Amino acid sequence: SGLDGPSEKMHYELDWYSTVTMGFGGGLSLGTTWTAYTSPNAMFGTTQEVAFKVSKAYWLNPYGTLAFELSGAADGSDTGTGSYLELGIGPTWPLAGGKATVTVPVKMGMSITNYYEDLNTGEETTFGFFDVGALVTVPFGAQPGKFGSWNFHAGADVLFLGDATASFNDGENTKFVALFGIGVTY
């Protein structure tokens, strides 16, 4: 959390983003996202990034994301801005007669240039991470209401980290992440 950082505050990261997505026939979509990664407790400087995502609504739900840092560097290096590629799938199946869904996201993140650089050596690595998980989503109602469609979701992921990402995680090459939340879509 960063309590031992310069500001001695716990709030490590706050991300601001805006996305525009266009849908095309056959379930194809193209999205553009601008993101500002900020640290309220001053553990790292702000990085701005633009990303382009192509996806296909299909039982595997494949996608690819290409991102470019516009300012700053998320890994804290001084070698300049970097670029990133992520490839993934997210097959989804109905549960309980369609009252819930389970999704199995699988993704891999890679550096194209200057994106994953080892904290200790400064050496650039291409492989950032491989992530596999499971997510169960349960809607709060059968029909969307005037306040949107609400759901509860919970899941877990296992991440296998490359050398550079492991250097930012105390040298650990494997991480387990559990999550839960409430979602709303308008």
Side-chain angles (χ1 to χ4, degrees), residues 37-62:
Y37 301 97
T38 68
S39 179
N41 68 357
M43 289 296 288
F44 61 87
T46 297
T47 298
Q48 293 187 52
E49 180 178 85
V50 65
F52 304 96
K53 181 177 182 178
V54 176
S55 59
K56 170 103 169 109
Y58 180 68
W59 80 273
L60 282 177
N61 298 313

Side-chain angles (χ1 to χ4, degrees), residues 95-164:
L95 292 176
K99 295 180 183 173
T101 60
V102 63
T103 303
V104 180
V106 178
K107 57 187 166 185
M108 183 166 62
M110 298 163 282
S111 172
I112 296 173
T113 57
N114 299 329
Y115 203 85
Y116 289 122
E117 295 167 301
D118 191 291
L119 178 64
N120 303 311
T121 67
E123 204 172 300
E124 181 178 358
T125 59
T126 300
F127 176 68
F129 69 90
F130 178 78
D131 177 357
V132 63
L135 178 70
V136 175
T137 304
V138 180
F140 284 162
Q143 298 277 340
K146 66 180 180 178
F147 298 109
S149 300
W150 290 71
N151 69 62
F152 172 79
H153 50 271
D157 284 79
V158 178
L159 290 98
F160 302 95
L161 306 178
D163 292 340

